Amino acid sequence: MSGFDQKSIARGADAARRTGEVRVILSPEKGRRPGLRVLSQSTRVFVVEDKLVHPVREIQELVIKLGAQISGTSEAANVIVTSIRAPKRLLKHISREDSEDKYVVNPEWILDSAERAVMMDPDDYLAFKSSKEHVFHLPMKRGRTPDTEVESGMPGPSTSSASATRPPRPWRDTRYACERPSPLQCINQGLVDELEVIRRERELTGDEFSKMAYMRALSAIKAYPYDLSKNPSQASKLTGVGSKIGKLAEQYYEKGCIIEAKIIRRDKAIQTMIAFNELYGVGPTAARDAYNEGCRTLEDVIKKGKSLGTHLTRSESLRILPDLQSKIPRPEVEAIAHLISRMMEKIIPGCQHTICGGYRRGKPESSDVDIVYTHPDNRHNKAALHRLLDDLRREGIVTHIVSVTTPGLDEDSTNVHVDVAQIVVLPPISPLTPNPRHRRVDIIFCPFSVYGAAVLGWTGSHIFERDLRIFCRKEGYKFSFTGVTRLSDGKVLDTPTEREIFELFKLEWMPPEWRNCDA
Ligand code: ATP
Ligand code: MG
Ligand code: MN
């Protein structure tokens, strides 16, 4: 580590504590390194100069050396470093809101982090006792809000899915998520949730490389069926978990949380971007851009009003946002699928369907409904989905069409005609939906010859799908929900069932309930 390693920093930190000099810590630097990753880029520090014993520049440089960022204003920071002990005096330098909402710590936090080469818990370094209790329990992923309970007796995770049954095979340390039975909730779920907080932060801040590392690690831990609290050092031995995330796992079992995740959970900027990202047509990048351009409320984002590639405008999306944010319980997923299938049956009698997505994986609640349709007789296929949309419109069930595409005919695709409609429905009033809400529905119509691929491709989870694609390339195939292509001759193979695809790829069958490889 080119003349500037953690040991020398630790020595320096120790010296600094004795002499009050931070420069000692920074001195033996040669070539530039972006930082030691003791702190993290998700930590944005504002240093208040007043009363500081050390020169402010040196504290700032140390923060950067440790891998965090320096903010020019307290508003942009999520941690404020100060030697001031009187809240009133601090208010001369930062707003009351910042002093109450953000971590306000003394410089020892940085010095100790440098010395121990781990991010210390800011709660142990608070500059003064805050009068306000901080509880930021905003969900870090799309709609984790458990606001709808699964009705008892209905198939929830406890009755229908894997958590009640045994995994299809014993655990093995494998590289591909599609080979690992992964339950809905795992024995080390607390750690997985913490890593997901950091993964999500990386996604929103555009750190693709780090995001992938957290994704791989949390997915490996998701499949690990033994209690890591009994042996935390085991985490770093799993394929996909490096020593860095392994250390965080140990921290989790030692402290009950990962400190970086704790800072992120309380980070208003991240929470704001998450809120933007919940709007339709606002991806992680757009959410970040909007924030950086000064947007702070959903209305701000709407006003920016960049045109969207969908027919569901941002302002419409905002209007129905509370509906779209609320999760869909399994019985309602089934009711919506039933409603749509009845209409489809009238258009092409004898059609078949599978409710895919999280529902098929046993999730008690879904954020949308994914239904794949097919018909054994190919003559029916082409116009089926468009006729269905006409009928749904006529009945007033569809309120918005997000998009209608035929991805199978895209360049770089299989040339198999598959139609995909992404819509918003408002189910009629019924005993199951006495107060109907707008619900997102994905409807796929495919030829019978690729039905297995379509069902497999729309069941997820995302990480399962991702590794499935990588896995099958290795076996000489390209997988898409529009069909399986043999790479040697470009032939699209008949795959009417999922099982045939697993056999083709020499992949052991994975029941849908065990494909929950995401957090
Ligand atoms: P939930 O809907 O409850 O959030 P989910 O797992 O059903 O969870 P979806 O976003 O509905 O999440 O996606 C289900 C699966 O469908 C994904 O795993 C993905 O493989 C596939 N999928 C979703 N959108 C597309 C798309 N535009 N093109 C191809 N496949 C897609
Ligand atoms: Mg879904
Ligand atoms: Mn979907």
Side-chain angles (χ1 to χ4, degrees):
M1 234 183 249
S2 67
F4 185 75
D5 57 18
Q6 295 191 340
K7 262 197 200 127
S8 68
I9 282 207
R11 271 198 309 274
D14 192 40
R17 211 178 314 282
R18 282 182 272 112
T19 62
E21 279 256 347
V22 186
R23 202 169 344 105
V24 199
I25 304 177
L26 302 173
S27 50
E29 187 209 16
K30 284 184 203 131
R32 276 205 69 77
R33 272 179 51 84
L36 289 175
R37 290 186 167 256
V38 168
L39 302 179
S40 151
Q41 74 253 29
S42 70
T43 311
R44 303 181 309 280
V45 180
F46 177 71
V47 186
V48 180
E49 186 165 4
D50 190 14
K51 281 213 130 199
L52 221 51
V53 188
H54 313 290
V56 64
R57 280 256 347 224
E58 294 186 4
I59 297 276
Q60 289 172 336
E61 278 174 31
L62 180 58
V63 166
I64 290 166
K65 289 277 147 58
L66 295 177
Q69 299 185 53
I70 283 292
S71 297
T73 62
S74 66
E75 201 237 332
N78 54 12
V79 178
I80 290 154
V81 169
T82 182
S83 293
I84 297 172
R85 293 297 159 114
K88 266 203 181 140
R89 179 160 179 173
L90 185 63
L91 292 183
K92 289 184 192 160
H93 306 281
I94 67 173
S95 70
R96 177 174 297 276
E97 202 192 350
D98 281 350
S99 81
E100 285 174 350
D101 290 348
K102 293 175 179 173
Y103 278 111
V104 181
V105 299
N106 55 57
E108 293 289 306
W109 175 67
I110 294 170
L111 297 176
D112 283 0
S113 295
E115 183 173 25
R116 310 259 189 98
V118 300
M119 188 195 288
M120 301 305 288
D121 187 345
D123 273 314
D124 296 337
Y125 295 83
L126 298 180
F128 42 79
K129 249 191 132 69
S130 167
S131 52
K132 198 169 155 188
E133 188 62 33
H134 298 283
V135 210
F136 283 87
H137 284 309
L138 292 174
M140 292 302 295
K141 29 198 254 180
R142 265 177 188 242
R144 255 268 161 118
T145 11
D147 60 354
T148 29
E149 277 198 46
V150 190
E151 285 171 46
S152 58
M154 292 323 253
S158 53
T159 51
S160 78
S161 84
S163 48
T165 58
R166 278 151 47 87
R169 70 191 70 109
W171 178 80
R172 243 176 347 114
D173 189 27
T174 58
R175 178 158 158 218
Y176 301 100
C178 55
E179 294 180 289
R180 306 188 288 249
S182 304
L184 215 43
Q185 296 276 307
C186 71
I187 187 165
N188 303 299
Q189 192 65 36
L191 171 59
V192 170
D193 289 346
E194 244 4 40
L195 295 172
E196 170 67 6
V197 168
I198 305 178
R199 187 203 66 81
R200 189 82 167 97
E201 192 273 347
R202 301 298 192 262
E203 178 171 77
L204 288 160
T205 54
D207 187 340
E208 197 63 21
F209 186 80
S210 179
K211 180 190 95 174
M212 297 301 283
Y214 280 92
M215 184 202 84
R216 272 192 290 272
L218 73 82
S219 168
I221 294 169
K222 189 82 188 294
Y224 186 64
Y226 306 107
D227 187 353
L228 278 170
S229 72
K230 302 220 167 75
N231 188 5
S233 64
Q234 185 62 29
S236 66
K237 300 196 182 104
L238 302 178
T239 301
V241 184
S243 65
K244 182 173 182 218
I245 296 178
K247 277 216 186 81
L248 295 182
E250 292 184 36
Q251 185 182 67
Y252 174 77
Y253 289 108
E254 199 178 300
K255 300 210 49 125
C257 72
I258 296 176
I259 288 157
E260 185 182 351
K262 182 154 112 172
I263 293 177
I264 294 169
R265 281 184 204 274
R266 205 168 129 176
D267 189 333
K268 267 203 175 158
I270 295 297
Q271 301 304 342
T272 306
M273 286 187 246
I274 288 174
F276 294 172
N277 190 204
E278 288 193 332
L279 273 181
Y280 244 80
V282 183
T285 310
R288 175 171 69 248
D289 290 348
Y291 188 88
N292 289 339
E293 287 163 23
C295 296
R296 291 297 177 270
T297 65
L298 291 171
E299 284 75 13
D300 294 343
V301 181
I302 302 299
K303 266 188 233 133
K304 286 264 173 209
K306 286 190 194 105
S307 69
L308 286 174
T310 79
H311 303 279
L312 177 61
T313 61
R314 284 185 183 179
S315 53
E316 267 304 281
S317 164
L318 180 60
R319 186 174 69 81
I320 60 173
L321 187 64
D323 280 5
L324 297 186
Q325 276 173 333
S326 74
K327 294 283 194 163
I328 318 172
R330 293 181 70 86
E332 193 184 332
V333 172
E334 288 154 15
I336 291 170
H338 185 70
L339 178 75
I340 295 173
S341 299
R342 244 183 18 222
M343 301 181 74
M344 192 64 124
E345 179 63 27
K346 279 193 198 137
I347 297 167
I348 36 167
C351 64
Q352 299 178 15
H353 76 272
T354 306
I355 312 176
C356 296
Y359 173 88
R360 186 157 180 255
R361 302 196 310 274
K363 273 171 73 171
E365 308 180 304
S366 302
S367 44
D368 71 352
V369 182
D370 307 286
I371 317 172
V372 176
Y373 285 96
T374 191
H375 195 285
D377 183 346
N378 260 330
R379 281 171 308 166
H380 287 302
N381 284 340
K382 289 248 163 84
L385 189 57
H386 293 271
R387 286 172 60 193
L388 175 72
L389 290 179
D390 287 343
D391 287 2
L392 286 169
R393 254 194 230 110
R394 197 171 312 123
E395 304 269 326
I397 293 167
V398 175
T399 61
H400 302 81
I401 303 223
V402 180
S403 69
V404 183
T405 54
T406 307
L409 303 184
D410 290 353
E411 48 182 309
D412 186 44
S413 196
T414 51
N415 256 333
V416 177
H417 189 112
V418 177
D419 287 315
V420 177
Q422 305 188 292
I423 60 176
V424 178
V425 304
L426 188 62
I429 295 172
S430 75
L432 201 63
T433 49
N435 302 301
R437 297 182 189 188
H438 292 85
R439 301 301 198 187
R440 274 274 298 106
V441 180
D442 289 340
I443 306 173
I444 295 90
F445 198 105
C446 67
F448 196 69
S449 59
V450 300
Y451 188 48
V455 167
L456 180 55
W458 283 83
T459 296
S461 69
H462 289 100
I463 299 179
F464 181 91
E465 300 286 338
R466 190 182 167 279
D467 280 8
L468 179 68
R469 271 174 242 275
I470 301 171
F471 185 93
C472 73
R473 285 231 166 235
K474 175 174 76 73
E475 298 297 317
Y477 302 93
K478 183 178 161 200
F479 176 77
S480 149
F481 71 91
T482 62
V484 175
T485 311
R486 187 164 55 206
L487 291 170
S488 58
D489 57 3
K491 187 173 159 37
V492 180
L493 305 174
D494 268 13
T495 51
T497 69
E498 275 187 327
R499 288 206 183 251
E500 284 158 85
I501 301 176
F502 281 88
E503 280 163 23
L504 201 60
F505 295 170
K506 300 194 193 72
L507 183 61
E508 278 178 282
W509 166 251
M510 191 67 77
E513 295 85 354
W514 292 94
R515 298 180 201 167
N516 291 291
C517 311
D518 295 46

